[in-house]
Amino acid sequence: MLPEIKLQGDVDVAALSPLLRGMLLSVAYADGEGGIGLTATGAMNRKFVHWAAVNFLWPDFTAEDLYSMNKVLNESDMPPLWVVRDMTRHLKLLRRKKDVLLPTRRGREFLVNPQAFFDLVATDYLYSYVHATEREAEVQARLRWWRMFLNLLNIKAREGCTPLDVVKILYPDTAPLSATEMTLEAWELKFDLQYGVLRRLCWLGLLYEAREGLTLLQDGAFHKTPLWSACLQLESDTQSDIGVH
């Protein structure tokens, strides 16, 4: 059984969750600007993509980050925007009318009380959403591991942990190995952990990655945000530590 996500604490969800903030800003923009313009191919237009890059404040995808790689920004250049668009469509917050995306009645309800939608957004995104770089089979296969991952991170992310720290707990045989000595199997697990688990939790706002002073290729330490304890109750809440056995 998957851990239930149920927001109970008094936290500023939009400030903590890049995904909910991006959805909220997108629906608000569509409501205030007469819609989000679409290109001939149906992508969000450059005017909105630029606005989103400046206003979303998405970790690792700020306007500075994005423009360092592209002179102009299209929807395809901003991966978080793919998720925001998919989730607003899936939850029927925006609808297409000719060449614009417009807020639905439900979308305007979302603007008034976004916190009321968080449980649904979080559950769908964490457990069901298929990123453009994934296959549905991978997302389905991960379902059986979510309880273990969340309980493990519930303990290790209190003080901060890297993806490699978690891999060494899951694969004790790799504990003595350096980063360059890790086996192919362990690297595959690390990749899936980073992009299938940690990225989802960061984009949802339950974790954040401390990256100050690191290069692009170095892994930061992941820590819990106040949103974690506000919406998750786990078996490991009273447990002190998980070591390498």
Side-chain angles (χ1 to χ4, degrees):
M1 189 174 175
L2 291 167
E4 182 184 17
I5 300 172
K6 189 174 182 181
L7 186 63
Q8 295 177 316
D10 183 18
V11 294
D12 186 345
V13 179
L16 291 168
S17 172
L19 177 57
L20 194 88
R21 182 170 61 248
M23 293 171 65
L24 186 60
L25 289 170
S26 299
V27 178
Y29 180 100
D31 192 43
E33 299 291 328
I36 297 171
L38 301 175
T39 67
T41 59
M44 292 169 162
N45 65 19
R46 285 180 180 172
K47 177 186 175 185
F48 175 74
V49 176
H50 169 76
W51 183 90
V54 171
N55 290 279
F56 276 13
L57 306 179
W58 203 292
D60 302 324
F61 291 94
T62 63
E64 184 181 0
D65 296 325
L66 293 164
Y67 279 112
S68 70
M69 295 182 284
N70 302 280
K71 289 184 178 179
V72 296
L73 290 179
N74 296 304
E75 182 183 332
S76 59
D77 300 316
M78 190 175 173
L81 201 49
W82 312 346
V83 183
V84 167
R85 181 169 181 173
D86 285 346
M87 292 299 292
T88 54
R89 180 177 59 224
H90 173 63
L91 296 176
K92 296 180 172 58
L93 306 179
L94 291 174
R95 64 182 176 87
R96 180 171 181 172
K97 184 178 181 182
K98 296 183 179 179
D99 60 350
V100 292
L101 292 175
L102 297 169
T104 61
R105 180 179 176 182
R106 195 174 194 221
R108 292 192 175 94
E109 292 172 356
F110 173 67
L111 291 180
V112 174
N113 188 11
Q115 301 212 173
F117 287 77
F118 179 75
D119 296 353
L120 183 59
V121 171
T123 301
D124 283 3
Y125 175 64
L126 202 61
Y127 299 143
S128 304
Y129 182 78
V130 181
H131 275 267
T133 54
E134 293 179 307
R135 291 178 293 114
E136 187 173 354
E138 293 172 326
V139 176
Q140 289 292 319
R142 198 180 296 128
L143 288 177
R144 61 185 293 208
W145 300 107
W146 269 112
R147 183 170 293 277
M148 181 198 67
F149 283 138
L150 290 174
N151 274 290
L152 195 159
L153 290 167
N154 192 34
I155 295 170
K156 303 308 291 184
R158 289 172 189 163
E159 303 297 329
C161 62
T162 67
L164 214 52
D165 292 335
V166 178
V167 168
K168 289 185 175 186
I169 293 170
L170 297 175
Y171 280 73
D173 290 348
T174 65
L177 303 180
S178 68
T180 54
E181 294 172 329
M182 296 297 281
T183 63
L184 179 61
E185 184 180 24
W187 274 111
E188 287 177 351
L189 178 64
K190 178 177 177 284
F191 183 87
D192 185 60
L193 183 74
Q194 270 185 293
Y195 293 99
V197 176
L198 296 172
R199 179 174 69 172
R200 286 180 189 252
L201 290 166
C202 286
W203 284 18
L204 194 52
L206 274 64
L207 292 179
Y208 72 92
E209 184 182 9
R211 296 201 51 81
E212 189 175 350
L214 299 178
T215 67
L216 191 64
L217 297 177
Q218 290 177 302
D219 294 325
F222 289 84
H223 301 260
K224 293 189 288 186
T225 75
L227 192 52
W228 180 290
S229 57
C231 69
L232 282 175
Q233 289 188 319
L234 298 164
E235 297 86 348
S236 55
D237 284 341
T238 57
Q239 201 169 334
S240 59
D241 196 14
I242 293 177
V244 178
H245 302 294

